[in-house]
Amino acid sequence: MEIPVSLSTERLINELQTHGVRLLDPKAGVESRRGGAGPSDHKALTVDGVTFMAPVHTAPAFESPYTIEKPDASGASQVWREGVAMGEVRFPARPRFYDLTTADGVPYSKIATLHGRDVLATTVLQSCIRYQSRTKTCQFCAIGQSLAAGRTIERKTPRQLAEVARAAVELDGVKHMVMTTGTPRGSDRGAEILCESASAVKAAVYLPIQAQCEPPADDEWFIRLKTSGVDTLGMHLEVVTPELRARIMPGKAEVKVERYLEAYAAAVPVFGRGQVSTYILAGLGDTAQAILDISARLIALGVYPFVVPFVPISGTPLESHPTPSADFMHAILKPLSKMIVEGGLKAADIKAGCGKCGACSALSTYERTLAS
Ligand code: SF4
């Protein structure tokens, strides 16, 4: 029987994403990743049919007022806060493709992982010119940690990606794929290896793909990405205030916000309105108004602004940086969801990628609440 949830779904997700959770059974659900790009030190949870990522291995999560008990026989777990039951969550099942290994002996789970409920995610190149030096590295990034710990391989070949993608579709029903990359040397900023990878996956299996990279120096790459089989494109600002960008991500901030805006304007006609997106980490110092202001410009361009709460990853320079409060996220996501819906760009209409998955933020749940 469903136990009544004391908070709305979007507020409960906000609470668990900003505070993190303490798991009474750390082995429940799909093993969480530590380090790497994207959501790390998180665990996938499902509430009211919505799958989201909640931090479990971060410093704030160890102090979180929220605990999740061991799942019962049906896989359901109660969420508690100070003795009050706040709702019920479930843990998505471990994907079957994790049990497979390539012919040359690489476990599939080192090539790509399951994100959220039905997203296959890979970091095609697990190294980055921005990560080589402490003065240039993005302070929130852990791309080198999972590589150093042997949990992934540095370069996933197109052939390996195609093999894993086919298995993930056939065995686990994944619905779309995220291909991100560290930034290599060269003015394409990773677009070339994303093209090769997308072509190989599309030749093997039907799977909508989002590619993610910094804006390439030449806008022609947008057409090449699209013709290679990339359905949607993410170019991620992360932080929006120029002075904060220069401090928190000194290497990446060499590509100015204005260049991102130019690149979005060039990419939207290629991929379509709402099929180009950005990722903004709320909680690193940008004000709510700064995030809403740039989001208004992005929406006008046809770019989906995927705003997620910052989660500090252990071992990074920002590991002790506080997470944003649930109220701060609410102050952004509530008006932002309205702006997005009024601008005609809904998460549900995105063909592939983070905005469609939505597991790192309550944003798409706010959008659905508005629609209902
Ligand atoms: S929103 Fe993006 S990074 Fe987060 S779980 Fe989904 S695919 Fe992964």
Side-chain angles (χ1 to χ4, degrees), residues 214-225:
E214 293 186 33
D218 182 350
D219 292 342
E220 281 296 309
W221 279 109
F222 300 136
I223 295 168
R224 287 181 212 142
L225 285 159

Side-chain angles (χ1 to χ4, degrees), residues 140-151:
F140 46 77
C141 182
I143 193 169
Q145 284 179 212
S146 49
L147 182 62
R151 287 189 291 269

